[in-house]
Amino acid sequence: MTDAPEKLTLTLDGGDVVIKLRPDLAPKHVEQIAALANEGFYDGVPFHRVIPGFMAQGGDGGNHNGTGGSSKPNIPQEFSREPHVRGTASMARTNDPNSANSQFFICFDDARFLDGQYTVWGQVESGMEHIDALPKGEPPREPGKIVKARAE
């Protein structure tokens, strides 16, 4: 038995996005995302990169421009064969595959070219329409924000 969280709820202005966590694919990533969420790290953090037909990226708790992380250490990659399809939650990183920290993205559509190169840690179960509705841009003029994030 494990008491690892099963779901991550992102409360956005439009409503809740519920993500099924996948510790079977990426236990270290799920542990870090859940810990950051429950510490309030993601509260008020914007989606700083939202590309139509591709993905919405957020989780930069520092300067909100995609260059920041958290005070926690980077996480070694946990790549899998899980496909990057609509609703997939995966970790952002630099060119170093072991540089994931706090930033993540949610795919709008199939992005199979990312398979095996980014760590998949969850799948949107409900509320994808709220991700679809995020303001677009790199960065958006007035970015959508995570009002609150909690793992349970």
Side-chain angles (χ1 to χ4, degrees):
M1 279 289 184
T2 178
D3 49 349
E6 296 178 9
K7 296 182 190 296
L8 175 70
T9 301
L10 302 177
T11 300
L12 308 183
D13 286 332
D16 287 350
V17 178
V18 178
I19 301 170
K20 177 184 178 186
L21 297 173
R22 296 292 310 271
D24 57 313
L25 298 177
K28 293 177 182 131
H29 287 75
V30 167
E31 180 181 357
Q32 183 136 316
I33 293 252
L36 288 169
N38 290 339
E39 291 167 8
F41 176 85
Y42 293 116
D43 298 358
V45 173
F47 283 90
H48 63 271
R49 187 171 176 229
V50 183
I51 303 171
F54 182 31
M55 58 87 208
Q57 182 173 332
D60 178 350
N63 50 28
H64 308 307
N65 69 2
T67 61
S70 73
S71 61
K72 295 187 181 302
N74 289 347
I75 316 161
Q77 62 88 7
E78 294 178 295
F79 299 159
S80 68
R81 294 179 180 263
E82 195 68 18
H84 284 79
V85 296
R86 179 169 169 77
T88 296
S90 192
M91 288 304 278
R93 61 173 178 79
T94 66
N95 288 334
D96 176 356
N98 298 309
S99 64
N101 186 290
S102 64
Q103 293 189 47
F104 62 89
F105 60 91
I106 299 172
C107 297
F108 287 123
D109 291 308
D110 286 2
R112 303 293 305 266
F113 60 93
L114 300 175
D115 293 358
Q117 300 177 65
Y118 292 82
T119 299
V120 174
W121 56 266
Q123 180 67 36
V124 173
E125 286 188 330
S126 64
M128 190 64 194
E129 67 273 17
H130 306 305
I131 298 296
D132 292 335
L134 287 168
K136 311 302 185 267
E138 296 183 67
R141 182 172 289 146
E142 295 194 27
K145 293 183 179 178
I146 300 168
V147 176
K148 182 172 86 170
R150 295 297 178 267
E152 53 187 9

